[in-house]
Amino acid sequence: MNSQSNVKEVDGAVVVSEKRTQKAVSTPLFSKKKLKDAGLFTLFVGPVFLAFTLIVLIPFFSGVYYAFTDWNGITGSVQWVGLDNFKYLIFEDKQFHASFLLTTKYTIVAILLTNVIGFGLAILVTQMLKTRNILRTVFFMPNLLGGLLLGFIWQFIFVKGFASIGEITGIPLFELAWLGDASTAFWGIVIVSVWQGAGYIMIIYIAALQNVPQELIEAARIDGANRFQILRHITMPLVAPAVTICLFLTTASSFKIFDANLSLTNGGPFKSTEMLALNIYTEAFVNNRYGIGEAKALIFFLVVAAITVLQVTISKKREVES
C-alpha cells in the first residue's frame, strides 16, 4: 500500500491530505481451495458419471446410430439406410402397430387399476387396525419378487391352479383358458402386473396420507362432512403431489412392461399379447434385425418421454389449481 501527501492552503491554513493507493491483489486462477473442491467433486461424482456414461450414454447414442442402419447385430458390416427403417415401421409393420395399440390399452388399464387399488390399500392400512403393519408387509411383498419369477409362478396358477379349482367347484371363471385366449391372456397380464405394483404405490400414498393434518379432518367432521366429502375436498387435494409421482411411475413402468409379458404368454397366442418391449426384443435378438429393433426402441423412447412429460405437466397444474 502506497501513500501520497498533498499540501493545500485553505483560508490561509495549510492542510496536508494523505491519499492512499492500494495495489490490486491478484487471486490466482487455481487456488488451493478451488483445486481441493474440484478434487472432491471429481472423487465423488467421477465414478458415478463414468458408470453412467458406459452403461447409459454410450449404449443410447450407439443405439440411435444403429437405428439408421441395416445391421443384423452379428456381422461387422453396417450399412447406412437413413430413414428407411422408420418408413417401414410407420407404413408397413402391422405387428408393430398392433403391439403399440395393445401397449397403450394395457397402460391405461394398468395405470387406473394400480393407482386405485394402491390408494385403497393405503387408506385401509392407515386406519387404526391392529394388523395394519402386517397388512403393509403382505401387500408390499409381491413387489420384492422379480418379474420373470413372478410370471412363472402365476403361469402355474393360471394353468394348473385355476383348472383344479374349476374342476372342484365348477365355477366358469376358473375353467377359462386364461393364457390360451387373447382376451383372457391380456387380463392375466394385467392381474399380475397390478398385483405386483399396487403394494409399491401403496407405500407412496401412505406417506402422503400420514402428512394430512388431522385438525382439518376433525374440523370437517364437526361441520358435518361425511367420509366421501372429506376424501374429495380435503384428502385428495393434499395428496395431489403423491398422485403425480404415482402416475409418473405407473405410466413409465406400464409402457415398458417386458418380464411379465415374456414369462406369462411370450406374446401368444399368435402374438396377440405381444407388448411393445417384447416386440422390440424379438425384432432385434430373435429376428436378428438390430437396426429395425433400434428404430422401434427410438420411437418408443420418444413416445414414452413425450407422454410422461405431458402427464407430469398436467398433474402439476392441477396441483396448483387445487
Side-chain angles (χ1 to χ4, degrees):
M1 182 180 293
N2 298 330
S3 61
Q4 297 178 353
S5 299
N6 296 326
V7 180
K8 296 182 180 179
E9 185 176 349
V10 180
D11 297 331
V14 178
V15 178
V16 179
S17 62
E18 186 176 358
K19 183 179 180 181
R20 298 177 181 269
T21 59
Q22 184 176 5
K23 292 183 179 180
V25 179
S26 60
T27 304
L29 182 62
F30 297 103
S31 62
K32 291 184 178 180
K33 186 177 183 306
K34 290 183 178 180
L35 290 175
K36 182 179 178 181
D37 293 341
L40 290 174
F41 180 82
T42 305
L43 179 63
F44 284 100
V45 180
V48 178
F49 180 74
L50 179 62
F52 180 77
T53 302
L54 294 176
I55 298 173
V56 178
L57 293 182
I58 293 178
F60 175 78
F61 287 110
S62 63
V64 172
Y65 167 73
Y66 287 124
F68 297 91
T69 64
D70 184 16
W71 186 42
N72 59 7
I74 300 175
T75 61
S77 60
V78 180
Q79 183 181 358
W80 181 268
V81 295
L83 297 175
D84 290 349
N85 290 337
F86 298 94
K87 293 178 182 178
Y88 169 75
L89 296 180
I90 295 173
F91 299 107
E92 299 182 27
D93 195 343
K94 302 300 181 183
Q95 184 58 43
F96 178 70
H97 301 163
S99 296
F100 194 92
L101 292 175
L102 181 67
T103 305
T104 303
K105 174 185 173 182
Y106 164 80
T107 301
I108 295 173
V109 174
I111 288 173
L112 293 175
L113 291 179
T114 304
N115 281 276
V116 170
I117 295 176
F119 187 73
L121 294 177
I123 292 178
L124 174 64
V125 298
T126 50
Q127 304 300 316
M128 298 304 295
L129 300 175
K130 293 182 179 180
T131 59
R132 60 181 181 272
N133 292 329
I134 298 176
L135 291 176
R136 293 181 186 184
T137 304
V138 171
F139 293 147
F140 183 74
M141 280 183 63
N143 189 259
L144 301 177
L145 299 176
L148 286 174
L149 178 62
L150 196 66
F152 287 123
I153 293 173
W154 272 92
Q155 186 185 63
F156 176 81
I157 293 173
F158 282 129
V159 175
K160 301 294 184 180
F162 279 16
S164 300
I165 296 174
E167 291 178 0
I168 296 173
T169 62
I171 300 176
L173 179 66
F174 296 103
E175 295 178 346
L176 296 174
W178 274 90
L179 302 182
D181 184 74
S183 58
T184 53
F186 170 81
W187 287 106
I189 298 173
V190 170
I191 290 172
V192 175
S193 301
V194 172
W195 184 73
Q196 182 185 23
Y200 181 76
I201 299 301
M202 175 196 70
I203 298 298
I204 300 176
Y205 283 130
I206 288 174
L209 289 172
Q210 289 178 341
N211 289 327
V212 176
Q214 294 298 316
E215 296 81 4
L216 294 178
I217 297 177
E218 292 297 331
R221 287 175 180 172
I222 294 174
D223 290 338
N226 55 36
R227 291 186 177 182
F228 177 75
Q229 291 173 331
I230 293 174
L231 177 65
R232 179 182 177 184
H233 297 289
I234 297 177
T235 305
M236 290 303 298
L238 292 177
V239 301
V243 174
T244 301
I245 296 172
C246 291
L247 287 177
F248 172 78
L249 293 174
T250 51
T251 300
S253 62
S254 298
F255 263 111
K256 296 184 297 183
I257 180 174
F258 174 77
D259 42 11
N261 189 197
L262 177 66
S263 55
L264 278 174
T265 64
N266 197 20
F270 305 106
K271 294 187 177 294
S272 60
T273 59
E274 187 178 68
M275 303 291 180
L276 200 52
L278 182 59
N279 178 261
I280 295 171
Y281 168 81
T282 303
E283 193 71 70
F285 301 106
V286 177
N287 299 336
N288 290 330
R289 297 200 294 180
Y290 197 85
I292 295 178
E294 286 291 352
K296 289 183 179 182
L298 182 58
I299 294 175
F300 187 34
F301 166 76
L302 294 175
V303 170
V304 173
I307 291 175
T308 51
V309 169
L310 181 63
Q311 174 262 313
V312 171
T313 303
I314 295 174
S315 299
K316 285 293 183 182
K317 287 183 179 180
R318 290 185 176 180
E319 287 180 25
V320 176
E321 292 175 357
S322 61

